[in-house]
Amino acid sequence: MTNPGSGEISSLALADLDHNGQNELYAANQDGKIYQLKWTNPGWSSTPINIANVVCNQIAVCDGDNDGQDEIYGAGQDGHAWQFRLNGSAWQVTDVGNAGTPLNAIAVGDGDNNFQLEVYALGADGHVYQFQAATPPTPTPTPVPTASVNDFKGKIIDEKHFYVYPNPTHGVNVKFRFFLPQSADVKIKIYTTTDMFVWETGVRNYPAGWSELTWNASGMANGVYFYLGEAWNDKGRERVVKKPVLLK
């Protein structure tokens, strides 16, 4: 792989931000752009996604605004923390906040243990800055995908066809929907963003086709959670990890 930009690469992140079931490589370059790199056999293709043309000293991928979708966050040389989000087929750039000093590093997590993810950046002045969305946004609920056995290419489950609907969920009943190309045993576990175990289903065998089950989250706080969905049969065992957003 060759450097896609005209400057040095300062940071890398790996994620499936275009939700096609394949991870992409994201490279922050000192030429002021972030590049999306995809393996398209027999070589790599690159697309610049940073329309802000700001040098990012480091990038991180996570759901920093607690809307159930991952974004790229960049530690800007200009002192700003930047968010890069794929909206449909176009990338959007949002100024998360200004620390007033060049930012050297960035991370996303629940640093104050309030069940909400925040963006943290290390400034050149030695201070760590926290950027937090005042109110988690309410995105358009995830549309119901279509499914057929041919979509799975021999897999037992996949990320596209194992999801919470709608996401975010308003109310206490969180509905999980999943499609199985063949019958399988299924189990779901729920965790907080700090890896605290919350809830799990029992193991149950489900037939081929669509199935649905409900988690009663009446005792849980609003925010982002992780769920681990596992399915197995005599063909093997597979799992998906995704993030439901609870807004009661």
Side-chain angles (χ1 to χ4, degrees), residues 102-218:
L103 300 179
N104 295 329
I106 198 160
V108 181
D110 184 16
D112 52 12
N113 299 294
N114 66 347
F115 297 101
Q116 297 288 330
L117 299 179
E118 305 89 31
V119 179
Y120 294 88
L122 174 64
D125 59 359
H127 292 277
V128 175
Y129 294 86
Q130 181 198 73
F131 305 94
Q132 183 174 12
T135 303
T138 305
T140 303
T142 306
V144 178
T146 58
S148 71
V149 174
N150 295 331
D151 295 332
F152 288 79
K153 299 178 181 179
K155 297 172 64 177
I156 303 172
I157 54 174
D158 73 357
E159 186 173 294
K160 178 181 177 182
H161 300 97
F162 203 122
Y163 62 95
V164 169
Y165 182 78
N167 192 17
T169 293
H170 293 268
V172 299
N173 292 319
V174 180
K175 295 184 181 297
F176 294 89
R177 299 190 77 240
F178 53 90
F179 184 90
L180 299 173
Q182 52 191 290
S183 64
D185 292 332
V186 175
K187 179 171 66 174
I188 298 175
K189 294 182 178 180
I190 308 291
Y191 297 88
T192 68
T193 55
T194 56
D195 293 329
M196 181 187 301
F197 173 76
V198 173
W199 176 83
E200 72 175 343
T201 66
V203 177
R204 176 181 166 186
N205 186 266
Y206 289 85
W210 284 106
S211 295
E212 184 175 294
L213 58 88
T214 301
W215 167 39
N216 186 322
S218 57

Side-chain angles (χ1 to χ4, degrees), residues 47-77:
T47 303
I49 68 171
N50 183 355
I51 60 175
N53 287 321
V54 175
V55 174
C56 290
N57 292 321
Q58 189 182 45
I59 56 175
V61 174
C62 202
D63 181 19
D65 56 8
N66 299 284
D67 68 344
Q69 300 292 327
D70 285 341
E71 307 89 23
I72 298 174
Y73 291 87
Q77 180 65 31

